[in-house]
Amino acid sequence: MPEEIILETRGVTKRFDGFAAVSGVNYRLREGESAGIIGPNGAGKTTFFNLLTGMFPPTEGTVLYRGADITRIPAHGRVGRGIVRTFQLVSVFDSLTVRENLVLALIRAGKEHAVSARFFLEDAWSGNLPDLSAGALGTVGLREKALWKTSELSYGDKRKLEIALALCLRPSVLLLDEPFAGLSDVEIVEVLELIHRVRKDFTLVIIEHKISRIVDLVSRLSVMHEGKLIAEGEPAEVLADPLVRQVYWGRP
Amino acid sequence: MITTLVYGFTIGGILYILSIGLSLTFGSMRIVNFAHALVYTTGAYFLVVALRTLGLGFLPAAAVATVAVLPIAAGIERFIIRRLYGESLDYAIIATYAVLLIGVDLIKWVFGATPIPLSDPIGRDVGLFGISFPLYRLMIIALAISIHGGLYLFFKRTIVGKIVVAGLEDKDAVRSLGIDVDRYFAIVFLVGSGLAALGGVLYAPITSVHPYMGFQVLLICFAVVIVGGMGSLHGTFLASFALGMVIAITGRYWGPAAETMVYAVMAVVLIFKPLDV
Ligand SMILES: Nc1ncnc2c1ncn2[C@@H]1O[C@H](COP(=O)(O)OP(=O)(O)O)[C@@H](O)[C@H]1O
Ligand SMILES: [Mg+2]
């Protein structure tokens, strides 16, 4: 059933002190697709992700996952259902080692891993964690840096680690918030290639400011502007939309 | 002089036991918890009850008093602190200060306002460098150092410790790993409260037990937290002993200025290392 809707919002609105950062958004994500969300700075893209992931509840509206209302389910509960995200500003833990970051990501991965049942950190390494973490680190190309302090990684490596953590959580929907922001050109190519490699395993939504980077990556594009979805469709179609051109380039 | 140093270390030890919970609560939950002083005062009063009403010896009485405070601390966490998440800092200050005031009035109502003196529970001195010190004070210092060691190992070696460390750094990122970080912060809050109660229990025989004892130490504890850095284990440890020493040394030469010096040190620290809240 390729047409099944995995994630949906109905009229979600988020107001901060009366200011509507997200306003009446109806959004549908089909299982297995790769979708993009673009829009100028301050359009409400990150806030929309926060509503999808349950970082805070919407002021109005509902969020549905495979048809079930998850509006009141907190962020950690949604991760358990497979809704996983990364942040616009890389969010890995500088005060831990790379491997300790992975331990945290594997706590919720289930009882089959040693982590959830262990008290001491050292004991966590006794199960299949070494293989799992090596696997995840191998996927993103950080295997040699497992014992590094995270604070010593480059920003690009931190982004790759963040994606490795997300992969450990076995996402059914992965939401990437501007994964290329702050990376060098070389790193952008590496992360793009990484996303291409892993995206077959889940439904993907990617927020990006620069349209050109994700046109090849996504099959559907949504445009946000001032908290509203103003256009949606195939990338070429959307980019030809006069309203979108007006918002992006100031002319139709 | 050595007497002054031991006095300073004793105060430092008590300050550490008292402040570490405050520091961790601030660092993790971003809440300035004035009710911490109530937990401390309650610990001291529960000690009085355990000693006088239940007739227990000091060690069992101290244990009973510390443990008996935990349900109260859990109630404060569940019904007050948890509702303050995401609210502004000053809102939390007002709410927890109200809890402190109400609690202190309750204590006055139940136990009266008259200070209750307690005697040194060990009542033995030991000789050191040819000077004799109350063994009780030396034991407080040793206990504070062991508690610090225990907490250090907890944060360094256990998975729960790592969750808390990560949560101190970025709470939302921990939530996004599917971890109910508030639950772990609640554990930290309980441990910190238990230590505050223990601090009240340990300090009671040195001063005296009265309803306002919490107010006295609260501001000094805030100074410790600010000087040591919020949420920092080692920082709180060092700041406790440094400020304990400041109190002891200033007190030796000019008693009334002892506490004022603490705030002077805090002011200097704030000038060179402004708070980022
Ligand atoms: N926690 C918040 N409190 C107040 N305003 C916020 C908050 N988060 C976002 N906003 C505001 O909402 C608007 C949309 O922000 P955001 O979702 O980050 O946009 P984008 O990700 O598209 O750049 C901005 O004007 C921003 O200032
Ligand atoms: Mg954004």
Side-chain angles (χ1 to χ4, degrees):
Chain A
M1 285 209 308
E3 283 300 289
E4 199 196 338
I5 302 296
I6 186 162
L7 200 55
E8 179 178 0
T9 67
R10 291 186 187 156
V12 288
T13 296
K14 180 68 189 181
R15 287 194 203 92
F16 296 111
D17 294 325
F19 168 78
V22 169
S23 178
V25 169
N26 297 306
Y27 184 77
R28 300 178 122 205
L29 185 67
R30 283 187 291 273
E31 177 137 38
E33 76 174 328
S34 293
I37 300 179
I38 59 169
N41 263 327
K45 306 180 295 294
T46 297
T47 306
F48 183 59
F49 262 21
N50 285 333
L51 293 171
L52 291 177
T53 53
M55 301 313 288
F56 40 62
T59 318
E60 281 159 31
T62 47
V63 182
L64 300 117
Y65 178 70
R66 296 189 193 280
D69 189 339
I70 56 163
T71 316
R72 297 289 142 201
I73 294 182
H76 60 90
R78 295 191 198 187
V79 176
R81 297 180 183 219
I83 304 174
V84 177
R85 73 170 303 171
T86 64
F87 291 84
Q88 187 168 344
L89 266 176
V90 166
S91 290
V92 290
F93 306 106
D94 275 347
S95 43
L96 308 182
T97 65
V98 169
R99 208 161 68 154
E100 287 167 356
N101 270 272
L102 284 158
V103 171
L104 295 195
L106 286 166
I107 286 175
R108 285 291 150 252
K111 293 247 184 302
E112 68 266 35
H113 307 314
V115 179
S116 50
R118 295 293 192 262
F119 183 69
F120 284 106
L121 199 56
E122 282 152 40
D123 298 341
W125 313 126
S126 62
N128 49 359
L129 185 85
D131 296 341
L132 273 168
S133 58
L137 286 178
T139 305
V140 301
L142 285 180
R143 197 186 295 236
E144 277 73 46
K145 298 179 179 167
L147 298 178
W148 282 38
K149 280 169 114 178
T150 305
S151 55
E152 286 163 2
L153 295 182
S154 69
Y155 194 77
D157 279 352
K158 285 185 187 179
R159 180 62 85 192
K160 291 176 199 162
L161 173 60
E162 192 188 26
I163 294 174
L165 300 183
L167 296 177
C168 287
L169 294 164
R170 301 197 199 160
S172 47
V173 182
L174 182 61
L175 308 163
L176 302 175
D177 192 349
E178 300 204 24
F180 312 112
L183 303 195
S184 70
D185 289 345
V186 177
E187 290 168 338
I188 289 175
V189 173
E190 288 171 354
V191 171
L192 253 176
E193 191 269 333
L194 167 62
I195 296 172
H196 267 292
R197 205 154 19 98
V198 296
R199 70 168 165 163
K200 299 282 170 290
D201 301 333
F202 40 76
T203 311
L204 177 72
V205 188
I206 183 162
I207 290 180
E208 178 51 46
H209 189 62
K210 243 181 162 173
I211 301 169
S212 57
R213 276 197 198 119
I214 56 163
V215 219
D216 296 336
L217 203 60
V218 301
S219 53
R220 203 160 59 88
L221 205 53
S222 307
V223 185
M224 276 192 94
H225 179 55
E226 293 176 349
K228 296 192 177 70
L229 273 188
I230 59 165
E232 204 162 23
E234 284 182 15
E237 203 179 296
V238 168
L239 295 180
D241 186 317
L243 182 57
V244 173
R245 302 181 71 84
Q246 184 70 43
V247 165
Y248 255 84
W249 294 283
R251 58 192 150 79
Chain B
M1 192 60 205
I2 292 177
T3 317
T4 311
L5 285 183
V6 171
Y7 179 55
F9 274 124
T10 311
I11 298 180
I14 296 279
L15 281 181
Y16 176 72
I17 294 173
L18 276 177
S19 307
I20 190 63
L22 208 57
S23 178
L24 292 174
T25 306
F26 195 95
S28 58
M29 300 164 163
R30 299 274 140 194
I31 283 173
V32 181
N33 176 27
F34 276 75
H36 203 65
L38 177 65
V39 171
Y40 160 82
T41 312
T42 310
Y45 271 95
F46 280 6
L47 175 71
V48 172
V49 172
L51 285 173
R52 304 235 165 126
T53 314
L54 304 180
L56 298 174
F58 184 78
L59 271 186
V64 165
T66 306
V67 172
V69 174
L70 290 181
I72 296 176
I76 293 175
E77 194 278 327
R78 178 71 188 77
F79 296 107
I80 313 285
I81 304 286
R82 207 174 286 186
R83 293 178 190 211
L84 294 171
Y85 287 149
E87 300 287 348
S88 71
L89 220 54
D90 33 344
Y91 192 70
I93 291 176
I94 294 167
T96 56
Y97 194 63
V99 173
L100 173 60
L101 291 180
I102 294 168
V104 166
D105 269 353
L106 264 176
I107 286 175
K108 262 198 298 191
W109 185 57
V110 176
F111 297 97
T114 325
I116 305 167
L118 293 176
S119 53
D120 184 320
I122 300 182
R124 250 190 331 126
D125 288 3
V126 284
L128 211 63
F129 314 110
I131 310 170
S132 76
F133 302 100
L135 180 59
Y136 183 63
R137 296 199 169 200
L138 295 178
M139 289 184 67
I140 287 179
I141 300 170
L143 189 60
I145 293 172
S146 331
I147 288 173
H148 180 62
L151 288 175
Y152 173 74
L153 287 181
F154 174 74
F155 284 116
K156 191 171 168 60
R157 301 267 306 274
T158 72
I159 292 175
V160 174
K162 290 298 172 193
I163 294 175
V164 175
V165 169
L168 286 165
E169 193 178 321
D170 187 341
K171 181 178 165 178
D172 282 345
V174 179
R175 295 169 70 201
S176 295
L177 296 180
I179 297 168
D180 184 1
V181 67
D182 289 341
R183 222 184 63 200
Y184 293 93
F185 283 174
I187 296 173
V188 169
F189 181 88
L190 270 190
V191 170
S193 296
L195 289 174
L198 180 65
V201 163
L202 293 175
Y203 202 40
I206 296 180
T207 51
S208 66
V209 179
H210 61 92
Y212 300 104
M213 60 191 285
F215 291 93
Q216 258 174 357
V217 298
L218 185 65
L219 289 177
I220 300 179
C221 288
F222 277 129
V224 168
V225 172
I226 286 167
V227 171
M230 284 158 268
S232 159
L233 200 64
H234 289 317
T236 306
F237 185 73
L238 294 177
S240 297
F241 284 101
L243 291 183
M245 211 52 82
V246 166
I247 292 176
I249 293 174
T250 319
R252 179 181 148 112
Y253 295 106
W254 189 28
E259 285 184 20
T260 315
M261 266 316 274
V262 169
Y263 305 122
V265 172
M266 179 179 84
V268 171
V269 169
L270 277 177
I271 289 167
F272 289 103
K273 192 195 81 176
L275 283 186
D276 66 305
V277 198

